[in-house]
Amino acid sequence: MSWFLIILYALVIAYILLLVFLVLGIILRLTKSTNDQTPSVSVIVPARNEESSLPTLLNSLEQQIYPGELEFIIIDDRSDDRTGSIIQEASRRDSRYRCLRLDLPNKDLSPKVSAVSAGIQSAKGEIIITTDADCIA
């Protein structure tokens, strides 16, 4: 067998292997689940004395449908009404809720900025969204 044929066979085999890997890669990419491609989201809500408006927001958040991981971080910023207990009740009802409580004011940041900062630090999501307790999602 001549060197030409040996090199030709080697190139043909290499080309076929390349095509097989290419087709397998395309098939694997197309069959990935949606959750693997969907980024996780954290929604951060600072709340201070929001007893009257918080239930409407929490109900609205519970209605959100997202194919990936979704968490709601509600920060109770030293409330002296029922805000904390409303958040705790929501977290028992829906595992997507996480409750944080700030007890001491931050000397360097305003109360709202401090609450949002604490929420961001505890967030697990790739995407972070902030809203206020008196908004409807």
Side-chain angles (χ1 to χ4, degrees):
M1 193 182 272
S2 72
W3 283 105
F4 176 75
L5 287 176
I6 293 173
I7 293 173
L8 183 62
Y9 286 138
L11 288 174
V12 168
I13 290 172
Y15 181 73
I16 290 172
L17 287 174
L18 179 67
L19 286 178
V20 167
F21 285 119
L22 181 67
V23 170
L24 285 175
I26 291 172
I27 291 171
L28 289 175
R29 186 174 196 152
L30 291 176
T31 58
K32 269 189 173 179
S33 71
T34 304
N35 284 340
D36 291 343
Q37 298 174 9
T38 306
S40 56
V41 174
S42 296
V43 179
I44 297 174
V45 183
R48 181 166 179 11
N49 295 332
E50 296 287 353
E51 175 181 14
S52 61
S53 58
L54 198 55
T56 305
L57 172 74
L58 296 176
N59 184 46
S60 181
L61 289 174
E62 288 173 17
Q63 304 305 314
Q64 300 303 309
I65 298 171
Y66 183 70
E69 273 188 63
L70 177 63
E71 69 174 346
F72 306 117
I73 302 171
I74 318 297
I75 302 98
D76 179 9
D77 185 14
R78 299 172 289 128
S79 298
D80 41 15
D81 63 0
R82 291 189 57 248
T83 297
S85 61
I86 293 170
I87 298 168
Q88 291 294 336
E89 182 182 313
S91 65
R92 284 190 289 270
R93 213 176 39 239
D94 190 330
S95 63
R96 296 177 296 174
Y97 285 113
R98 289 185 35 220
C99 178
L100 295 179
R101 167 107 177 133
L102 297 182
D103 292 317
L104 300 173
N106 186 317
K107 295 175 187 168
D108 299 325
L109 302 173
S110 71
K112 183 174 181 176
V113 172
S114 177
V116 171
S117 177
I120 290 172
Q121 288 176 8
S122 72
K124 298 176 183 171
E126 296 172 62
I127 296 174
I128 296 177
I129 299 171
T130 63
T131 188
D132 289 327
D134 57 356
C135 293
I136 298 176

